[in-house]
């Protein structure tokens, strides 16, 4: 039985990681586990950390979660330092990772576009690779994570990715199912933090990175 995310006690701060070397090179990143942040990415993480400290104060009572990818964990390290929290206390979960891009993963956008046509639509959603993950599967895994953590009491910080966060935010706010096959909300630039409380979303900090994908 799926838990209604509107009923969770506490606020969820959903953050999109900072810019990576793949983003800067315009390569399809997908669920690649190790794509380090650029200097711009670290600067975006600093901005998120400062914004969250201004919003929550030092040492807030906050359960931390992150995708197990290096870029999410690097982003979390900077934010946790601003909040005076211990990075080692965070929970890592692969259900929070980015859309899997199959054989397109790691390739330059321009090369894939030249071979298959556009890979980003007018809404900023990535086209699914022939052997890649479908949006329905993303919705299923983030919903599974929401179900398993529904009893968390209090505020949470969740560091994840552009596409997967759009789907999870859609699930959490009750957005209608998009033609892509899952509920999705509009994309935000890298380095953005939004707050979801009882199904309503508010932007806490708007990032300066790539948008939407």
């Amino acid at each position: 039985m799926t838990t209604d995310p509107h009923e969770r006690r506490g606020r969820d701060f959903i953050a999109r990681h900072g810019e990576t070397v793949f983003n800067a090179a315009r390569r399809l990143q997908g669920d690649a586990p190790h794509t380090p942040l650029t200097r711009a990415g670290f600067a975006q993480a600093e901005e998120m950390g400062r914004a969250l400290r201004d919003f929550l104060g030092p040492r807030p009572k906050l359960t931390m979660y992150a995708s197990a990818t290096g870029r999410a964990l690097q982003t979390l390290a900077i934010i946790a330092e601003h909040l005076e929290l211990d990075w080692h206390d965070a929970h890592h979960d692969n259900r929070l990772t980015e859309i899997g891009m199959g054989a397109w993963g790691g390739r330059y956008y321009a090369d894939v576009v030249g071979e298959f046509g556009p890979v980003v639509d007018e809404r900023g959603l990535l086209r699914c690779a022939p052997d890649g993950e479908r949006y329905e599967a993303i919705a299923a895994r983030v919903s599974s994570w929401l179900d398993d953590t529904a009893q968390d009491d209090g505020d949470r910080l969740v560091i994840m990715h552009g596409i997967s966060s759009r789907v999870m935010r859609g699930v959490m706010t009750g957005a209608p199912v998009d033609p892509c096959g899952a509920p999705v909300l509009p994309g935000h630039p890298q380095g953005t933090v939004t707050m979801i409380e009882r199904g309503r979303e508010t932007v806490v900090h708007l990032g300066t990175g790539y948008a939407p994908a």
Side-chain angles (χ1 to χ4, degrees), residues 65-76:
Y65 288 93
S67 154
T69 59
R71 57 196 183 274
L73 297 176
Q74 283 184 304
T75 300
L76 176 61

Side-chain angles (χ1 to χ4, degrees), residues 51-139:
L52 282 167
R53 185 183 175 102
D54 288 345
F55 196 88
L56 296 169
R59 296 181 297 280
K61 182 175 173 52
L62 193 68
T63 304
M64 297 182 291
Y65 288 93
S67 154
T69 59
R71 57 196 183 274
L73 297 176
Q74 283 184 304
T75 300
L76 176 61
I78 301 300
I79 294 174
E81 188 172 344
H82 277 277
L83 296 176
E84 299 180 40
L85 298 177
D86 188 346
W87 178 89
H88 298 90
D89 290 338
H91 306 275
H92 308 163
D93 200 306
N94 284 324
R95 289 174 293 183
L96 301 173
T97 197
E98 185 57 302
I99 182 173
M101 294 306 296
W104 291 0
R107 296 186 62 188
Y108 287 102
Y109 275 85
D111 291 344
V112 177
V113 169
E115 188 173 347
F116 296 96
V119 294
V120 180
D121 70 15
E122 66 280 358
R123 296 160 299 163
L125 291 174
L126 284 170
R127 175 181 170 188
C128 297
D131 61 342
E133 188 176 25
R134 319 307 292 181
Y135 281 84
E136 297 92 328
I138 302 172

Side-chain angles (χ1 to χ4, degrees), residues 15-31:
R16 184 179 178 189
H17 66 77
E19 180 193 88
T20 72
V21 295
F22 269 47
N23 301 137
R26 300 304 294 149
R27 298 176 79 120
L28 282 156
Q29 194 160 215
D31 58 351

